[in-house]
Amino acid sequence: MSSTRRPKSRSLRRTAVAATSAALAGVLLAACGSGGGSGSGTTGSGPVHIKVWAWYPQFKQVVAEFNKTHKDVQVDWVQAGVGQDEYTKLKTALKAGQGAPDVVMLEFQELPTIQLTKGLLDMGKYGANADKGNYVDWAWKQSSDGDHVYAIPVDGGPMAMMYRADLFKKYDLKVPTTWAEYKEEAAKLHKADPNAYMTDFGSDETAAGWRQGLTWQAGSRPYTYSASKLPDIGVKLNDDNAKKVYEYWGDLVKNKLVDTQSYATTDFYNGLSTGKYATYIAAGWGPGYLSSVAKKTAGKWRVAPLPQWTAGGNAQGDWGGSSFAVTSQTQHPKEATEVARELFGTSEAAWKIGIDQAYLFPLVKPILNGAYFGDKKYDFFGGQQINKVFVPAANGIGTFDWSPFQDFAYNTDTGEVGKALQGQTAWSSVNDNVQDQVSSYASKQGFKVSK
Amino acid sequence: MSLLRQQGPATAAPPSTVRTKGLRSPVTGAGTGRRNGRQSAHTRHQAMGLLLITPFGLLFAAFLVAPLAYAFWLSLRTSTLVGGDHFSWFANYQQTFTDPHFLAGVRRVAVFGLVQIPVMLGLALLGALIIDEVSSRLAKVFRMTLFMPYAVPAVIGALMWGFLYSPTFGPVNSLSHALGTGKVDLLGHSLMLTSLGNIVTWQWTGYNMIVLYAALQGLPREVYEAAKLDGAGQIQTALRIKIPMISSAMVLTLMFTIIGTLQFFTEPRVLEPTASSVITPDYTPNLYAYNLAFQYSEFNYSAAISFSLGAVVFIGSYLFLFAARKRSGLK
């Protein structure tokens, strides 16, 4: 299971409940007990202990690797829940003024919100800028603001199309390279088998990041935001590119060429593993997710680049990705920064654990562009070297700003998509409605909004 | 009650007899009465009483009064992402009662309650009347079976129903498929309230039934004999004797249910991930307050919503009890 935290990763919530509840109890106890959050190493000799919240179960080995190679700093890892669960705890701890860990795993879209509420330490003051050249440009820009470094990127989610090679052969479908072709093949498939769909249009909040990734690919840049230029913010969620994407999917939905199941459901996993869906458009972490929820389809999937809006184009989008940030509550800013930078960093040993066992998609260039990752063959994909698709995608992603009210934006988007699905509003007005609500929310929060 | 006493005409009647009930009269009688040797016994009593309620008082202050006071203080401030934090008096409350999200949630919950509460309490009453009438082993089994869902934690119940409602695996859909009625989207916009209502009814009918059944058990049996002698059948006895006599218990269950409904939270929260385009963050007022605080970090506004909801619940139950004062046993 494991490998897959996800953008608003509620998908795993239920399956992970049993596994994490014990850990959660631990968090609460630890939070109550240690007060300041960083535990023992405040005084005296011995290594400084840095408390880390992160959600991959495989983390245990990464931490062991770190502790083995570091003498002055030791990591105490806590599995603090996946995605939103962890953020809820973190936001509460920050509000309460105590109980936050030193280092926390955060998805990129959460960084501006937590930074703005003064929850993050500026690691730039502790030498983190030295890492700048190690990371792909768009990722570094998401976690920093000029010389201020608010997080160190860990993994990303360059998008691609996974497809069932066997079904494509059976129904004589062509692997689409443009969205227009994708639609043609969807119609062909659904006509041949009314129970099969080209894919599932994620209509829920879990998939809000997916929808965002697709508009990202189409060239939409909804926010212009920089923490150093407060209170200015640009909000433009209804430009032509975003509308193009929503109307395209709305059209597929109306013609019943795609299913409209929530991503966070067993029905969705079931669709992936029974051949109900012929493609799965997802991100660099998607292979891990897919191979864990659809084990019995091993060997039948292949990966192809994301279809393009213009033939021969090379536009890419990103869905999800995480980073290590140091919280403002840390008592050991220097050591915590060191942990955030080096837990994975460029360490090949740590990355091998991350790549092989957690399907992490590295954003650190030496690993991303290295031979080990690029040439790795995946049995689940019939031995395909899938990173030959994902790595160019990762390198082709354009920069993108997140808003500091991303949860609100995602929720609003989800609500409006829901209305369109029920036929209460037209697909063409979804983006306008979201734009109205999000920009008025931003004004209420004190931003000077330009549209 | 002390007011009543002071305002009363200066009659010969000792104060303690004027509309005071139960335990209070001897104590107050002793206290306000003769000042003699019994005074010290009284003070000792009082000291003992204070000592005995101290643990409760401390816990009450620490875990109810203090958080409430803090929440109220929060609700009088406004902090925005970039505007900073300032005291804003009742601006948050003003916003609450003009907030379409909050009002839509209240309306949704009201519509939900208008349908779900009568259905559930009707079923509970019917169940209670039946097991009261039939005193066989079967009645015991029946009683246990109906009560069982109450013992299932609400989260587990909602998860279980989430599975039963599933469009692919759910037996409901298999059934409708077999009957040829096509796909029924129990987690879609149009049926979500019904689906939630079903979960709540399943969970709480047995609980309410037990309360009503206990009230029925407390009725004097001679009344039934009298009714029988007068020629009343079982149904007539139920309608004209039993139901009126347990009306105060019915008022009680109704009030608990109304309060529970206004605070509707767990079931929509559990189904939220499965159907997040239907169960929006403002689906019920309580869910809205939760999401405001923990997703959007709007702690101040969330506190104002919670207090407003509390006020609605308080005023609502007070009005209800006032209207039903004859039946409620609280004259």
Side-chain angles (χ1 to χ4, degrees):
Chain A
M1 222 32 278
S2 65
S3 47
T4 61
R5 50 103 187 53
R6 235 358 41 201
K8 331 287 302 179
S9 195
R10 293 183 162 168
S11 42
L12 286 177
R13 179 170 287 156
R14 275 169 298 155
T15 35
V17 164
T20 52
S21 52
L24 299 194
V27 175
L28 291 174
L29 286 174
C32 296
S34 68
S38 45
S40 44
T42 30
T43 51
S45 55
V48 172
H49 283 260
I50 296 295
K51 196 200 277 175
V52 177
W53 283 4
W55 55 63
Y56 300 95
Q58 295 81 356
F59 227 80
K60 203 174 169 184
Q61 290 155 268
V62 177
V63 168
E65 175 66 27
F66 181 94
N67 286 344
K68 205 172 70 193
T69 50
H70 290 73
K71 282 206 178 87
D72 302 339
V73 185
Q74 292 289 295
V75 168
D76 297 334
W77 170 55
V78 175
Q79 158 65 285
V82 179
Q84 202 67 47
D85 290 341
E86 186 202 58
Y87 308 148
T88 301
K89 281 192 208 95
L90 178 69
K91 287 173 184 175
T92 312
L94 289 173
K95 174 77 185 161
Q98 61 170 47
D102 299 281
V103 175
V104 62
M105 183 168 229
L106 291 175
E107 284 165 279
F108 290 118
Q109 76 269 12
E110 291 294 322
L111 291 172
T113 312
I114 299 182
Q115 189 275 327
L116 190 58
T117 50
K118 306 203 168 26
L120 300 182
L121 180 85
D122 178 4
M123 285 188 268
K125 291 177 190 152
Y126 300 93
N129 266 308
D131 286 351
K132 187 174 178 177
N134 281 344
Y135 291 88
V136 287
D137 194 41
W138 61 271
W140 187 259
K141 281 197 172 134
Q142 293 203 358
S143 62
S144 66
D145 184 11
D147 283 344
H148 307 287
V149 180
Y150 295 113
I152 302 293
V154 178
D155 73 317
M159 293 177 81
M161 182 184 77
M162 285 159 239
Y163 65 98
R164 282 282 296 266
D166 58 328
L167 293 181
F168 267 57
K169 197 170 170 201
K170 183 175 169 193
Y171 295 112
D172 192 25
L173 306 178
K174 194 171 85 176
V175 178
T177 57
T178 65
W179 286 112
E181 282 173 17
Y182 187 83
K183 190 174 165 182
E184 281 169 28
E185 303 305 309
K188 203 167 149 190
L189 168 71
H190 194 58
K191 205 174 160 207
D193 179 1
N195 289 322
Y197 296 92
M198 194 63 164
T199 194
D200 181 47
F201 175 76
S203 56
D204 54 332
E205 203 199 322
T206 309
W210 179 80
R211 296 191 294 269
Q212 183 76 85
L214 291 176
T215 57
W216 185 340
Q217 185 215 12
S220 168
R221 293 290 181 271
Y223 310 104
T224 320
Y225 172 74
S226 155
S228 52
K229 293 197 185 96
L230 288 170
D232 291 337
I233 191 166
V235 178
K236 186 73 183 167
L237 286 147
N238 58 345
D239 68 349
D240 292 344
N241 294 322
K243 283 190 169 176
K244 178 172 73 182
V245 172
Y246 278 66
E247 283 176 43
Y248 173 83
W249 286 97
D251 192 47
L252 289 178
V253 168
K254 267 188 283 190
N255 290 310
K256 299 195 167 34
L257 301 181
V258 291
D259 197 12
T260 55
Q261 195 57 245
S262 287
Y263 273 5
T265 56
T266 32
D267 292 87
F268 174 64
Y269 313 145
N270 188 50
L272 287 175
S273 57
T274 55
K276 186 180 177 186
Y277 307 137
T279 72
Y280 173 46
I281 292 168
W285 44 266
Y289 176 76
L290 188 63
S291 55
S292 64
V293 299
K295 280 199 189 78
K296 60 180 179 183
T297 57
K300 294 177 177 166
W301 294 84
R302 297 290 180 278
V303 182
L306 202 58
Q308 297 288 319
W309 286 101
T310 46
N314 181 32
Q316 308 295 342
D318 181 84
W319 176 20
S322 63
S323 63
F324 282 126
V326 176
T327 72
S328 52
Q329 282 179 19
T330 185
Q331 303 289 315
H332 311 283
K334 199 172 129 283
E335 289 82 359
T337 301
E338 188 184 340
V339 168
R341 292 175 65 192
E342 293 176 14
L343 250 174
F344 280 105
T346 50
S347 154
E348 213 169 271
W351 271 113
K352 278 185 178 165
I353 299 166
I355 292 166
D356 293 346
Q357 299 186 34
Y359 278 88
L360 289 192
F361 190 92
L363 293 176
V364 64
K365 283 194 238 169
I367 306 292
L368 171 71
N369 297 322
Y372 175 74
F373 187 58
D375 297 340
K376 189 174 160 63
K377 290 180 178 165
Y378 289 80
D379 291 342
F380 186 81
F381 295 91
Q384 190 188 355
Q385 292 174 317
I386 61 171
N387 295 324
K388 302 270 183 227
V389 175
F390 281 113
V391 172
N395 286 315
I397 290 170
T399 54
F400 187 91
D401 288 346
W402 295 105
S403 72
F405 35 75
Q406 203 56 45
D407 285 336
F408 182 85
Y410 275 169
N411 281 330
T412 308
D413 186 69
T414 305
E416 290 299 324
V417 165
K419 283 186 199 161
L421 280 175
Q422 297 292 321
Q424 292 171 359
T425 53
W427 282 94
S428 55
S429 59
V430 169
N431 304 84
D432 292 334
N433 293 343
V434 175
Q435 166 72 14
D436 284 350
Q437 291 173 50
V438 171
S439 52
S440 95
Y441 177 84
S443 303
K444 260 192 226 152
Q445 289 296 322
F447 291 99
K448 222 176 99 202
V449 182
S450 53
K451 290 172 191 173
Chain B
M1 267 181 276
S2 58
L3 264 179
L4 272 175
R5 258 183 272 144
Q6 280 155 15
Q7 284 164 352
T11 58
S16 58
T17 59
V18 182
R19 298 188 60 78
T20 50
K21 275 192 210 166
L23 287 170
R24 285 197 59 170
S25 47
V27 180
T28 44
T32 54
R34 286 145 261 147
R35 298 182 179 276
N36 55 17
R38 292 178 65 190
Q39 175 82 31
S40 61
H42 171 59
T43 349
R44 222 181 309 129
H45 257 187
Q46 247 183 357
M48 187 58 106
L50 277 177
L51 192 74
L52 285 173
I53 64 162
T54 306
F56 165 78
L58 287 178
L59 289 174
F60 184 74
F63 293 104
L64 194 74
V65 179
L68 274 179
Y70 176 65
F72 185 65
W73 181 79
L74 270 185
S75 75
L76 298 179
R77 302 183 70 86
T78 297
S79 92
T80 55
L81 282 172
V82 278
D85 182 67
H86 64 277
F87 194 77
S88 58
W89 290 103
F90 292 95
N92 285 327
Y93 290 92
Q94 213 173 343
Q95 192 190 339
T96 303
F97 288 100
T98 50
D99 182 349
H101 298 281
F102 178 72
L103 296 178
V106 172
R107 236 181 346 257
R108 187 173 288 122
V109 161
V111 170
F112 174 82
L114 279 178
V115 178
Q116 191 265 333
I117 296 175
V119 169
M120 177 175 72
L121 291 186
L123 285 174
L125 181 62
L126 189 68
L129 287 170
I130 291 173
I131 56 173
D132 183 55
E133 198 59 49
V134 190
S135 52
S136 65
R137 194 166 296 164
L138 206 65
K140 263 186 199 161
V141 175
F142 183 65
R143 192 172 71 202
M144 267 318 290
T145 322
L146 260 167
F147 186 69
M148 205 114 66
Y150 176 69
V152 178
V155 176
I156 307 287
L159 276 179
M160 186 191 91
W161 281 100
F163 166 75
L164 291 176
Y165 291 156
S166 151
T168 314
F169 308 103
V172 180
N173 257 289
S174 314
L175 194 71
S176 88
H177 208 75
L179 293 173
T181 42
K183 193 177 158 185
V184 188
D185 191 2
L186 291 161
L187 297 171
H189 269 267
S190 47
L191 286 176
M192 183 56 89
L193 272 186
T194 318
S195 303
L196 286 170
N198 182 46
I199 300 177
V200 176
T201 308
W202 169 82
Q203 181 122 41
W204 289 91
T205 301
Y207 170 83
N208 287 307
M209 184 193 74
I210 294 293
V211 174
L212 297 177
Y213 173 69
L216 283 172
Q217 292 285 295
L219 297 182
R221 297 278 137 179
E222 308 87 73
V223 185
Y224 302 159
E225 274 169 40
K228 211 179 218 170
L229 285 177
D230 284 347
Q234 283 184 342
I235 291 175
Q236 269 186 322
T237 312
L239 288 178
R240 303 215 178 149
I241 310 281
K242 291 184 178 178
I243 293 180
M245 286 184 85
I246 59 160
S247 58
S248 65
M250 283 166 64
V251 167
L252 185 80
T253 55
L254 183 54
M255 198 181 75
F256 286 161
T257 310
I258 290 173
I259 294 174
T261 304
L262 283 168
Q263 297 182 343
F264 200 20
F265 179 78
T266 312
E267 291 80 6
R269 171 90 183 98
V270 176
L271 291 185
E272 197 184 7
T274 357
S276 55
S277 66
V278 181
I279 299 184
T280 46
D282 55 357
Y283 200 73
T284 73
N286 216 355
L287 198 60
Y288 187 38
Y290 173 83
N291 282 317
L292 277 171
F294 297 111
Q295 274 211 19
Y296 308 159
S297 302
E298 290 190 42
F299 293 95
N300 304 86
Y301 189 41
S302 171
I305 294 230
S306 310
F307 262 90
S308 306
L309 183 64
V312 171
V313 170
F314 183 79
I315 296 171
S317 35
Y318 185 81
L319 284 180
F320 172 73
L321 278 182
F322 187 76
R325 61 194 181 282
K326 277 199 178 143
R327 297 281 179 218
S328 67
L330 303 166
K331 289 199 187 100

